[in-house]
Amino acid sequence: MTRRTVQLTIDGKQASVPEDATLLDACTSLGIETPTLCWAENLTPVNVCRICVVEVEGARVLVPSCSRKVEAGMVVHTDSPRVRTSRKLVLELLGSSVDMSLSPIFLEYSKRYGADPARFGPKAPKAKAGERDAAVPGHHHAPDGTHAATVAQPVKRDNDLFLRDYEKCMLCMKCVQACGTDAQNTFAIAVSGRGFEARISTEHDTALPDSACVFCGNCIGVCPTGALMFNVEHDLRAAKKWDESKQTVTDTVCSYCGVGCTLSLRVQDNQIVRVTSPSDNSVTAGNLCVKGRFGWGFVKGDE
Amino acid sequence: MEETDVILLWGSNAREAHPIYFHHVLKAVHRGAKLYVIDPRRTPTAEWADGWLSLEVGHDVALANGVANVILEEGLQNDAFVRNATLGFESWRAHIKQYDLARVCALTGVDPELIRRMARDFAKAERAMICWTLGITEHHNAVDNVFSLINLALLTGHVGKWGSGLNPLRGQNNVQGGGDMGALPHKLPGFQDVEDASVRARFEQAWGRSVPPMKGWHLTQMFEAMGRGELTAVYVIGENPAQSEADSAHAIERLKGLECLVVQDIFLTKTAQLADVVFPATASFCEAEGTVTNSERRVQRVRRALTPPGEARDDIEIIAELSRRLGFDFGTPTAQQLWDECRTLSPMHAGMSYAHLEERGGIQWPCPDEAHPGTSFLHGRLWDADATKRGPLAPFQVTEDEPPVEALDAEFPLRLTTGRRLESYNTGVQSQGYASPVFRRETIDLSGADVARLGLRDGEAVRVVSRRGAVVAPVRVDPGLKAGLAFMTFHFADEVDTNLLTIDATDPKAGTAEYKAAAVRVEKLG
């Protein structure tokens, strides 16, 4: 089927893109860099973070460019005062409630849009273990007006492979998508709760080894904030030994079955510290199974 | 894969054994493709199927022939393709008439309506694919099983086209590459026949040494030759036959009887423990440079990310050094130099320079020159409008149902079939090195009905006995098994050596052992 082309105007320039393109695709085709947090090339857009919003003339509200399809004759503004204000507010709300310190792109966007998360006041105290998981709709009380509400809580570490540090979770949904129909189709996690109490959870908040999880780690592969992390990386960071200047990343092929998944091995001090796969790889689309992601313990390296 | 309309996954638990391949299957399924899974067990793969055909172990030929019979009876075959591209159709068709659905259902235990539905969906599809794994090939009649599937593709023309075809899913990361590189008894690199003098002459000219003109033995024949005392010295590289061979007690006895056993491996495996000499090697996927070939014929680069431990040396270095001491010094070439030499000798790899592989992220053979993008599917020539360009036509092969070698009887009433589990791999030497929370350790999986009949409890340790040996393992009730069927793996061979039970009855052409069908009984302990 031949795809037709659609013409539209973005920031005064003419764009000509396939009819099924998104506004984000159209912006990219003109070299207009659009901030995204919840979007990824190997996942279906869920348009939850709202950082990619743009202004379409004639539309009542700003539209998420990652999922809005182009239409002939659209007139779009990507850097109008409305767009900048909206992006800035999104960054401030996220920055005040979520630990975004391991997301370099977030820090860059914050600078670009002059976001000041501290203006909501000092962060409210960390929740106790399990406290947020026990919340039911209606439990949330308005903050006291002097402190910024946060999702801070203790790290969940219930297995030897990876952990969940939900203080860093911005609810971008990428892990849920990767665990669901976009890749793994295991459906071990979903969003639980509503409003500010919304969080990513296994069924009945069981520990991962008791859940449907098969430990493929495809959720870690897409997590943009470091909320999902190999234990080995977390421990190196906690010991202040994580040192990216001493790390190399080498692409090779998994040693298990015959599918031929590309592994990107991140190595520090001759030890593997993280395994990913390129999201544009024709075999993996960025995904691996438990053996490819974690099954390299037999390689000891020269210590 | 993702753009096909009907998928027959035959004898494959890809959801667990090839998880990332199965992602592509699921993309097709979500797009609306129909998935049929042919497997005695209701595996996690079968749970995704539109139709699950639970056949009796070992009756794949009968089922495939029954499918062919339905297609022929209903006139759903691709007449033009059969006429233009195949041979032997009429005599094969006459033979297939014996596989009427009543007989096929009696042999396989599969619902006739399900067979009919699969046959219709497969034959009528614009694009359809048959993929298989060891459920087809680990039988004493493995080659006939494969021929029967090929017959179905020829009958319907589902071969040599985008989104169609026949795909064996390879079980190991470079089992395809091993074959490509001539690690077969009768082939030199690029599947060139060792018994062809002109082929040998090119290799002899490049290597400066004569190439033995006769084909060698495959693995099973090697073990038989050890038994006869004709094979007395064996050099094993990266394989653990002491635990992977069927009827392993027998295999170990033969390895122990050798005059000289050399093992080159990254682990001190059970086989290495029997060796006279062990060469510690590097882990090829992360401590060495080179290439591997995956299941889709894609040659891919492996690269060194780690410095190997202790005295471990690169496979190339070990072989070069051994050769030097045996009197032929070919220096210590790099992996790239060896690959470039291979490209001059194997036409199907000629275009795959490291630079070209890098640029394209791997290339599917054949790739004759550096301007060639590689070949995404084979046998397209069969569709050529010009008859002179179709090359050798594809023959239908007459195949007959043959039950497993070991029949069930009162003494050994359970059918034991073996396979893999998600988190583990083969004899476990690699996969036991990480702390997977999904490790279950070895169990004998039985149906709830058999567990009740035998008066057992879930988790109770039992003795599993075959004509060749016995092991002790805990029982696990698997709702995916029907009565009379038992399942085990050989992932924890140090604790439960499942291959003490399996039968080394082998296919006469391929030499593959019948790991999928042994007869056992289960005894209560104490």
Side-chain angles (χ1 to χ4, degrees):
Chain A
M1 191 177 67
T2 329
R3 291 190 297 181
R4 281 167 296 194
T5 325
V6 164
Q7 267 74 38
L8 66 161
T9 309
I10 305 178
D11 295 345
K13 288 182 240 171
Q14 287 299 307
S16 180
V17 291
E19 60 182 341
D20 59 352
T22 60
L23 284 174
L24 180 61
D25 297 329
C27 289
T28 306
S29 78
L30 292 176
I32 298 168
E33 200 255 299
T34 309
T36 59
L37 288 170
C38 72
W39 176 87
E41 63 184 326
N42 55 347
L43 300 173
T44 311
V46 287
N47 45 272
V48 296
C49 79
R50 318 308 283 191
I51 192 77
C52 73
V53 290
V54 296
E55 189 169 358
V56 176
E57 284 188 13
R60 185 178 56 85
V61 293
L62 300 177
V63 302
S65 64
C66 67
S67 53
R68 180 64 179 264
K69 294 279 196 278
V70 295
E71 289 168 44
M74 267 181 166
V75 180
V76 180
H77 304 282
T78 71
D79 204 35
S80 67
R82 256 183 100 190
V83 169
R84 291 192 67 88
T85 304
S86 181
R87 289 179 180 173
K88 175 167 174 273
L89 185 62
V90 164
L91 291 163
E92 287 175 337
L93 290 171
L94 272 179
S96 72
S97 58
V98 181
D99 173 3
M100 298 294 286
S101 59
L102 293 186
S103 172
I105 196 76
F106 176 86
L107 302 176
E108 191 192 310
Y109 294 156
S110 295
K111 196 184 271 181
R112 187 191 306 173
Y113 291 98
D116 175 22
R119 74 186 174 92
F120 300 115
K123 293 189 173 185
K126 202 179 236 195
K128 289 195 265 304
E131 198 178 333
R132 282 185 58 79
D133 299 302
V136 296
H139 266 192
H140 182 62
H141 300 292
D144 60 13
T146 59
H147 289 81
T150 75
V151 297
Q153 58 187 298
V155 170
K156 289 173 191 267
R157 183 167 182 158
D158 53 22
N159 68 84
D160 292 332
L161 301 182
F162 75 97
L163 52 75
R164 297 170 289 158
D165 181 4
Y166 285 141
E167 180 169 7
K168 297 189 174 69
C169 176
M170 56 166 279
L171 285 178
C172 70
M173 300 284 290
K174 283 178 176 171
C175 57
V176 177
Q177 299 275 102
C179 192
T181 49
D182 274 344
Q184 182 57 28
N185 291 274
T186 289
F187 311 99
I189 47 173
V191 174
S192 177
R194 289 288 179 273
F196 197 76
E197 308 304 338
R199 67 267 177 187
I200 306 296
S201 178
T202 57
E203 69 270 25
H204 304 296
D205 186 38
T206 56
L208 285 171
D210 301 325
S211 76
C213 177
V214 293
F215 294 89
C216 62
N218 290 328
C219 53
I220 312 170
V222 294
C223 180
T225 60
L228 303 170
M229 191 180 275
F230 281 59
N231 286 351
V232 55
E233 175 175 344
H234 185 264
D235 293 345
L236 282 170
R237 286 181 184 277
K240 307 233 178 300
K241 288 183 184 159
W242 182 262
D243 184 354
E244 295 195 2
S245 70
K246 286 165 66 187
Q247 293 171 358
T248 55
V249 179
T250 308
D251 281 2
T252 187
V253 177
C254 179
S255 67
Y256 285 101
C257 79
V259 174
C261 298
T262 295
L263 305 181
S264 301
L265 303 179
R266 181 175 283 266
V267 171
Q268 177 180 325
D269 300 327
N270 212 36
Q271 300 293 321
I272 296 169
V273 293
R274 188 197 291 164
V275 179
T276 54
S277 186
S279 58
D280 60 354
N281 185 271
S282 72
V283 175
T284 66
N287 300 299
L288 297 170
C289 79
V290 61
K291 294 194 288 291
R293 179 116 24 212
F294 295 110
W296 35 264
F298 67 88
V299 182
K300 299 287 181 247
D302 192 24
E303 288 163 39
Chain B
M1 187 82 237
E2 292 173 16
E3 295 180 21
T4 195
D5 301 322
V6 172
I7 303 163
L8 270 49
L9 209 44
W10 205 306
S12 163
N13 181 13
R15 178 66 159 157
E16 291 193 85
H18 298 92
I20 298 302
Y21 155 78
F22 202 67
H23 283 191
H24 296 273
V25 172
L26 288 173
K27 285 226 160 74
V29 167
H30 290 319
R31 234 194 70 249
K34 286 194 174 124
L35 172 65
Y36 286 93
V37 174
I38 299 93
D39 196 313
R41 299 189 294 144
R42 187 169 174 84
T43 59
T45 309
E47 284 167 15
W48 284 96
D50 295 278
W52 167 50
L53 285 75
S54 173
L55 81 172
E56 290 296 321
V57 173
H59 290 284
D60 303 84
V61 169
L63 183 58
N65 287 354
V67 171
N69 196 17
V70 171
I71 293 171
L72 287 165
E73 268 178 14
E74 302 192 3
L76 301 173
Q77 70 274 19
N78 186 327
D79 287 319
F81 184 80
V82 168
R83 191 170 54 244
N84 293 337
T86 69
L87 295 171
F89 174 65
E90 286 306 330
S91 54
W92 175 76
R93 173 181 202 147
H95 169 75
I96 286 297
K97 290 207 170 98
Q98 302 165 39
Y99 286 88
D100 58 275
L101 274 191
R103 180 174 172 225
V104 169
C105 295
L107 287 168
T108 63
V110 180
D111 171 11
E113 274 319 299
L114 199 49
I115 299 176
R116 225 183 269 283
R117 184 152 66 87
M118 181 171 88
R120 287 174 187 152
D121 281 342
F122 178 71
K124 289 178 180 171
E126 190 184 327
R127 296 168 175 176
M129 230 178 237
I130 307 179
C131 305
W132 68 89
T133 320
L134 302 183
I136 280 296
T137 49
E138 282 184 352
H139 285 286
H140 78 281
N141 55 345
V143 173
D144 280 353
N145 283 345
V146 175
F147 279 149
S148 306
L149 301 185
I150 294 172
N151 290 340
L152 292 179
L154 295 179
L155 182 62
T156 51
H158 289 317
V159 68
K161 292 189 301 188
W162 178 256
S164 296
L166 293 150
N167 291 301
L169 308 175
R170 313 308 303 252
Q172 286 130 17
N173 87 324
N174 198 29
V175 68
Q176 181 68 50
D180 296 357
M181 290 301 106
L184 294 168
H186 55 310
K187 298 288 181 189
L188 284 160
F191 299 102
Q192 301 179 85
D193 199 330
V194 75
E195 293 182 316
D196 179 333
S198 63
V199 166
R200 279 201 314 279
R202 283 195 296 112
F203 281 86
E204 286 169 350
Q205 198 187 355
W207 291 346
R209 281 293 183 278
S210 68
V211 175
M214 289 173 2
K215 66 180 179 188
W217 286 313
H218 58 57
L219 183 60
T220 305
Q221 289 166 334
M222 287 167 77
F223 270 85
E224 286 163 3
M226 288 181 219
R228 294 192 304 272
E230 284 175 46
L231 181 60
T232 55
V234 171
Y235 183 1
V236 177
I237 304 181
E239 171 117 1
N240 184 15
Q243 290 182 318
S244 62
E245 285 296 285
D247 193 358
S248 53
H250 202 191
I252 289 170
E253 196 181 303
R254 284 166 171 178
L255 290 169
K256 281 184 175 164
L258 290 168
E259 285 169 24
C260 174
L261 175 62
V262 181
V263 172
Q264 180 169 322
D265 207 302
I266 62 172
F267 303 105
L268 193 64
T269 60
K270 274 280 169 339
T271 310
Q273 289 168 27
L274 300 174
D276 300 288
V277 181
V278 177
F279 296 135
T282 55
S284 58
F285 87 104
C286 64
E287 294 170 348
E289 296 287 330
T291 60
V292 292
T293 312
N294 77 353
S295 223
E296 43 171 7
R297 293 172 283 103
R298 188 183 300 278
V299 176
Q300 304 166 288
R301 284 274 285 110
V302 293
R303 298 180 184 84
R304 179 176 163 132
L306 296 170
T307 311
E311 295 177 345
R313 291 164 79 173
D314 192 282
D315 289 309
I316 297 171
E317 203 184 312
I318 295 170
I319 292 167
E321 178 64 17
L322 188 65
S323 176
R324 193 178 64 78
R325 296 204 196 175
L326 288 170
F328 179 41
D329 187 352
F330 60 86
T332 309
T334 62
Q336 185 170 7
Q337 285 165 338
L338 287 174
W339 180 248
D340 285 339
E341 181 202 77
C342 175
R343 289 171 51 219
T344 66
L345 292 168
S346 169
M348 65 190 234
H349 294 107
M352 296 184 184
S353 65
Y354 270 24
H356 197 202
L357 288 172
E358 186 86 39
E359 179 194 337
R360 303 195 73 94
I363 298 172
Q364 291 169 284
W365 59 249
C367 175
D369 59 67
E370 286 201 57
H372 195 283
T375 308
S376 59
F377 60 87
L378 300 177
H379 313 304
R381 62 177 172 82
L382 292 171
W383 289 93
D384 205 301
D386 179 350
T388 61
K389 290 187 185 157
R390 273 178 223 143
L393 301 186
F396 281 94
Q397 301 277 354
V398 170
T399 54
E400 285 282 15
D401 178 69
E402 276 180 42
V405 169
E406 196 167 42
L408 301 181
D409 57 22
E411 202 184 346
F412 298 100
L414 291 169
R415 178 61 74 203
L416 173 69
T417 193
T418 64
R420 280 186 190 158
R421 301 191 206 275
L422 170 69
E423 76 297 335
S424 294
Y425 185 72
N426 288 6
T427 59
V429 287
Q430 284 159 274
S431 56
Q432 283 175 41
Y434 77 110
S436 166
V438 283
F439 271 146
R440 280 204 303 241
R441 317 309 291 184
E442 193 48 62
T443 51
I444 168 135
D445 298 353
L446 294 168
S447 68
D450 283 327
V451 168
R453 187 176 54 78
L454 293 163
L456 304 171
R457 282 177 295 106
D458 201 11
E460 175 178 350
V462 294
R463 182 179 293 109
V464 188
V465 187
S466 80
R467 286 189 176 82
R468 292 152 297 279
V471 300
V472 173
V475 166
R476 191 178 75 93
V477 176
D478 181 349
L481 292 174
K482 54 192 173 189
L485 191 58
F487 178 79
M488 296 182 78
T489 79
F490 61 119
H491 297 321
F492 298 93
D494 292 345
E495 296 157 26
V496 180
D497 196 353
T498 303
N499 278 332
L500 289 171
L501 305 172
T502 49
I503 181 167
D504 69 350
T506 55
D507 181 276
K509 299 187 197 95
T512 327
E514 195 154 65
Y515 292 94
K516 296 299 186 201
V520 299
R521 67 168 176 266
V522 169
E523 296 173 353
K524 251 180 127 66
L525 289 183

Short mmCIF file of all heavy atoms in Angstrom, two decimals, chain B residues 311-341:
data_model
loop_
_atom_site.label_atom_id
_atom_site.label_comp_id
_atom_site.label_asym_id
_atom_site.label_seq_id
_atom_site.Cartn_x
_atom_site.Cartn_y
_atom_site.Cartn_z
N GLU B 311 44.93 -18.38 32.74
CA GLU B 311 45.66 -18.91 31.60
C GLU B 311 44.76 -19.15 30.39
O GLU B 311 45.18 -19.78 29.42
CB GLU B 311 46.33 -20.23 32.00
CG GLU B 311 47.40 -20.06 33.06
CD GLU B 311 48.01 -21.38 33.49
OE1 GLU B 311 47.41 -22.44 33.19
OE2 GLU B 311 49.06 -21.36 34.12
N ALA B 312 43.54 -18.68 30.46
CA ALA B 312 42.62 -18.91 29.33
C ALA B 312 43.17 -18.25 28.08
O ALA B 312 43.65 -17.11 28.11
CB ALA B 312 41.25 -18.34 29.66
N ARG B 313 43.11 -18.97 26.96
CA ARG B 313 43.60 -18.41 25.70
C ARG B 313 42.52 -18.54 24.64
O ARG B 313 41.69 -19.44 24.67
CB ARG B 313 44.87 -19.15 25.26
CG ARG B 313 46.04 -18.82 26.19
CD ARG B 313 47.16 -19.81 26.03
NE ARG B 313 47.97 -19.53 24.83
CZ ARG B 313 49.10 -20.18 24.55
NH1 ARG B 313 49.53 -21.15 25.35
NH2 ARG B 313 49.79 -19.89 23.48
N ASP B 314 42.61 -17.65 23.67
CA ASP B 314 41.67 -17.62 22.56
C ASP B 314 41.71 -18.95 21.81
O ASP B 314 42.78 -19.54 21.63
CB ASP B 314 42.08 -16.47 21.64
CG ASP B 314 41.01 -16.18 20.60
OD1 ASP B 314 40.91 -16.92 19.62
OD2 ASP B 314 40.27 -15.21 20.82
N ASP B 315 40.55 -19.42 21.36
CA ASP B 315 40.48 -20.68 20.61
C ASP B 315 41.45 -20.70 19.43
O ASP B 315 42.12 -21.71 19.18
CB ASP B 315 39.05 -20.90 20.08
CG ASP B 315 38.05 -21.23 21.19
OD1 ASP B 315 38.34 -22.13 21.99
OD2 ASP B 315 37.01 -20.59 21.25
N ILE B 316 41.52 -19.60 18.71
CA ILE B 316 42.41 -19.54 17.53
C ILE B 316 43.85 -19.75 17.96
O ILE B 316 44.60 -20.50 17.34
CB ILE B 316 42.27 -18.17 16.82
CG1 ILE B 316 40.86 -18.00 16.28
CG2 ILE B 316 43.29 -18.04 15.70
CD1 ILE B 316 40.57 -16.59 15.76
N GLU B 317 44.21 -19.08 19.07
CA GLU B 317 45.59 -19.16 19.55
C GLU B 317 45.94 -20.60 19.96
O GLU B 317 47.02 -21.11 19.65
CB GLU B 317 45.69 -18.23 20.76
CG GLU B 317 47.05 -17.73 21.10
CD GLU B 317 46.98 -16.91 22.39
OE1 GLU B 317 46.09 -16.03 22.49
OE2 GLU B 317 47.79 -17.17 23.30
N ILE B 318 45.00 -21.27 20.62
CA ILE B 318 45.25 -22.65 21.06
C ILE B 318 45.45 -23.56 19.84
O ILE B 318 46.41 -24.34 19.78
CB ILE B 318 44.07 -23.16 21.92
CG1 ILE B 318 43.94 -22.36 23.21
CG2 ILE B 318 44.26 -24.65 22.24
CD1 ILE B 318 42.66 -22.65 24.00
N ILE B 319 44.57 -23.40 18.87
CA ILE B 319 44.66 -24.29 17.69
C ILE B 319 45.94 -23.99 16.90
O ILE B 319 46.63 -24.90 16.45
CB ILE B 319 43.39 -24.13 16.83
CG1 ILE B 319 42.18 -24.70 17.59
CG2 ILE B 319 43.55 -24.84 15.49
CD1 ILE B 319 40.84 -24.34 17.01
N ALA B 320 46.28 -22.71 16.77
CA ALA B 320 47.48 -22.35 16.02
C ALA B 320 48.73 -22.91 16.71
O ALA B 320 49.64 -23.43 16.06
CB ALA B 320 47.58 -20.83 15.89
N GLU B 321 48.74 -22.80 18.04
CA GLU B 321 49.90 -23.28 18.79
C GLU B 321 50.01 -24.80 18.69
O GLU B 321 51.10 -25.37 18.52
CB GLU B 321 49.76 -22.84 20.26
CG GLU B 321 50.87 -23.29 21.19
CD GLU B 321 52.24 -22.70 20.84
OE1 GLU B 321 52.28 -21.70 20.09
OE2 GLU B 321 53.26 -23.26 21.29
N LEU B 322 48.88 -25.46 18.78
CA LEU B 322 48.86 -26.93 18.67
C LEU B 322 49.37 -27.34 17.28
O LEU B 322 50.19 -28.25 17.15
CB LEU B 322 47.43 -27.42 18.88
CG LEU B 322 47.22 -28.93 18.99
CD1 LEU B 322 47.91 -29.47 20.24
CD2 LEU B 322 45.72 -29.25 19.05
N SER B 323 48.91 -26.62 16.27
CA SER B 323 49.33 -26.92 14.90
C SER B 323 50.85 -26.73 14.75
O SER B 323 51.53 -27.54 14.14
CB SER B 323 48.57 -26.01 13.93
OG SER B 323 49.01 -26.22 12.62
N ARG B 324 51.35 -25.65 15.33
CA ARG B 324 52.79 -25.38 15.24
C ARG B 324 53.58 -26.54 15.86
O ARG B 324 54.55 -27.03 15.29
CB ARG B 324 53.11 -24.06 15.97
CG ARG B 324 54.51 -23.51 15.69
CD ARG B 324 54.74 -22.18 16.40
NE ARG B 324 54.70 -22.29 17.85
CZ ARG B 324 55.70 -22.76 18.60
NH1 ARG B 324 56.83 -23.13 18.04
NH2 ARG B 324 55.58 -22.83 19.91
N ARG B 325 53.11 -26.99 17.03
CA ARG B 325 53.86 -28.07 17.69
C ARG B 325 53.72 -29.39 16.95
O ARG B 325 54.54 -30.28 17.08
CB ARG B 325 53.38 -28.23 19.12
CG ARG B 325 53.69 -26.97 19.93
CD ARG B 325 53.76 -27.26 21.40
NE ARG B 325 53.69 -26.02 22.16
CZ ARG B 325 53.63 -25.96 23.47
NH1 ARG B 325 53.63 -27.08 24.17
NH2 ARG B 325 53.58 -24.81 24.09
N LEU B 326 52.63 -29.51 16.16
CA LEU B 326 52.46 -30.73 15.37
C LEU B 326 53.19 -30.62 14.04
O LEU B 326 53.13 -31.54 13.23
CB LEU B 326 50.97 -31.00 15.12
CG LEU B 326 50.17 -31.46 16.34
CD1 LEU B 326 48.67 -31.45 16.04
CD2 LEU B 326 50.59 -32.85 16.80
N GLY B 327 53.86 -29.49 13.80
CA GLY B 327 54.71 -29.40 12.63
C GLY B 327 54.20 -28.52 11.50
O GLY B 327 54.80 -28.48 10.44
N PHE B 328 53.09 -27.81 11.70
CA PHE B 328 52.61 -26.91 10.65
C PHE B 328 52.34 -25.55 11.28
O PHE B 328 51.37 -25.37 12.01
CB PHE B 328 51.34 -27.47 10.00
CG PHE B 328 50.77 -26.59 8.91
CD1 PHE B 328 51.60 -25.94 7.99
CD2 PHE B 328 49.39 -26.40 8.80
CE1 PHE B 328 51.08 -25.13 7.00
CE2 PHE B 328 48.87 -25.57 7.81
CZ PHE B 328 49.71 -24.94 6.90
N ASP B 329 53.24 -24.63 10.99
CA ASP B 329 53.16 -23.31 11.61
C ASP B 329 52.42 -22.35 10.67
O ASP B 329 52.95 -22.00 9.62
CB ASP B 329 54.57 -22.79 11.89
CG ASP B 329 54.56 -21.50 12.68
OD1 ASP B 329 53.46 -20.93 12.89
OD2 ASP B 329 55.64 -21.05 13.10
N PHE B 330 51.20 -21.99 11.02
CA PHE B 330 50.51 -20.97 10.20
C PHE B 330 50.42 -19.64 10.93
O PHE B 330 49.56 -18.80 10.66
CB PHE B 330 49.16 -21.47 9.69
CG PHE B 330 48.14 -21.86 10.73
CD1 PHE B 330 47.30 -20.90 11.29
CD2 PHE B 330 48.01 -23.18 11.12
CE1 PHE B 330 46.34 -21.26 12.23
CE2 PHE B 330 47.05 -23.55 12.07
CZ PHE B 330 46.23 -22.59 12.63
N GLY B 331 51.35 -19.44 11.85
CA GLY B 331 51.39 -18.18 12.60
C GLY B 331 50.22 -18.10 13.56
O GLY B 331 49.62 -19.11 13.92
N THR B 332 49.90 -16.88 14.00
CA THR B 332 48.73 -16.70 14.87
C THR B 332 47.85 -15.64 14.22
O THR B 332 47.91 -14.46 14.55
CB THR B 332 49.15 -16.26 16.28
OG1 THR B 332 50.15 -17.15 16.75
CG2 THR B 332 47.96 -16.31 17.25
N PRO B 333 47.02 -16.07 13.25
CA PRO B 333 46.19 -15.08 12.56
C PRO B 333 45.12 -14.51 13.48
O PRO B 333 44.71 -15.16 14.46
CB PRO B 333 45.55 -15.90 11.42
CG PRO B 333 45.63 -17.32 11.87
CD PRO B 333 46.80 -17.44 12.80
N THR B 334 44.66 -13.31 13.18
CA THR B 334 43.53 -12.75 13.92
C THR B 334 42.23 -13.36 13.38
O THR B 334 42.21 -13.94 12.29
CB THR B 334 43.44 -11.23 13.72
OG1 THR B 334 43.22 -10.98 12.33
CG2 THR B 334 44.72 -10.54 14.17
N ALA B 335 41.16 -13.18 14.14
CA ALA B 335 39.85 -13.68 13.69
C ALA B 335 39.49 -13.05 12.35
O ALA B 335 38.95 -13.71 11.46
CB ALA B 335 38.79 -13.36 14.74
N GLN B 336 39.83 -11.77 12.20
CA GLN B 336 39.47 -11.09 10.95
C GLN B 336 40.25 -11.64 9.76
O GLN B 336 39.69 -11.83 8.68
CB GLN B 336 39.74 -9.58 11.10
CG GLN B 336 39.26 -8.80 9.89
CD GLN B 336 39.30 -7.30 10.10
OE1 GLN B 336 39.80 -6.81 11.10
NE2 GLN B 336 38.75 -6.56 9.14
N GLN B 337 41.55 -11.96 9.99
CA GLN B 337 42.34 -12.54 8.89
C GLN B 337 41.77 -13.89 8.47
O GLN B 337 41.69 -14.20 7.28
CB GLN B 337 43.81 -12.69 9.33
CG GLN B 337 44.55 -11.36 9.35
CD GLN B 337 45.88 -11.44 10.11
OE1 GLN B 337 46.08 -12.33 10.94
NE2 GLN B 337 46.77 -10.52 9.80
N LEU B 338 41.37 -14.70 9.45
CA LEU B 338 40.80 -16.01 9.13
C LEU B 338 39.48 -15.84 8.38
O LEU B 338 39.18 -16.57 7.44
CB LEU B 338 40.57 -16.82 10.40
CG LEU B 338 41.83 -17.37 11.06
CD1 LEU B 338 41.47 -18.03 12.39
CD2 LEU B 338 42.54 -18.36 10.15
N TRP B 339 38.70 -14.87 8.82
CA TRP B 339 37.41 -14.61 8.17
C TRP B 339 37.62 -14.17 6.72
O TRP B 339 36.92 -14.63 5.81
CB TRP B 339 36.64 -13.56 8.97
CG TRP B 339 35.31 -13.22 8.39
CD1 TRP B 339 34.95 -12.04 7.82
CD2 TRP B 339 34.17 -14.09 8.28
NE1 TRP B 339 33.64 -12.11 7.37
CE2 TRP B 339 33.15 -13.37 7.65
CE3 TRP B 339 33.94 -15.40 8.68
CZ2 TRP B 339 31.90 -13.91 7.38
CZ3 TRP B 339 32.69 -15.96 8.41
CH2 TRP B 339 31.69 -15.21 7.78
N ASP B 340 38.61 -13.29 6.52
CA ASP B 340 38.87 -12.83 5.15
C ASP B 340 39.34 -13.98 4.27
O ASP B 340 39.00 -14.04 3.08
CB ASP B 340 39.89 -11.68 5.17
CG ASP B 340 39.25 -10.38 5.64
OD1 ASP B 340 38.01 -10.27 5.57
OD2 ASP B 340 39.97 -9.47 6.09
N GLU B 341 40.08 -14.92 4.85
CA GLU B 341 40.48 -16.10 4.08
C GLU B 341 39.24 -16.92 3.72
O GLU B 341 39.06 -17.35 2.58
CB GLU B 341 41.44 -16.97 4.89
CG GLU B 341 41.90 -18.20 4.10
CD GLU B 341 42.40 -19.32 5.00
OE1 GLU B 341 41.56 -20.02 5.62
OE2 GLU B 341 43.61 -19.50 5.09
#
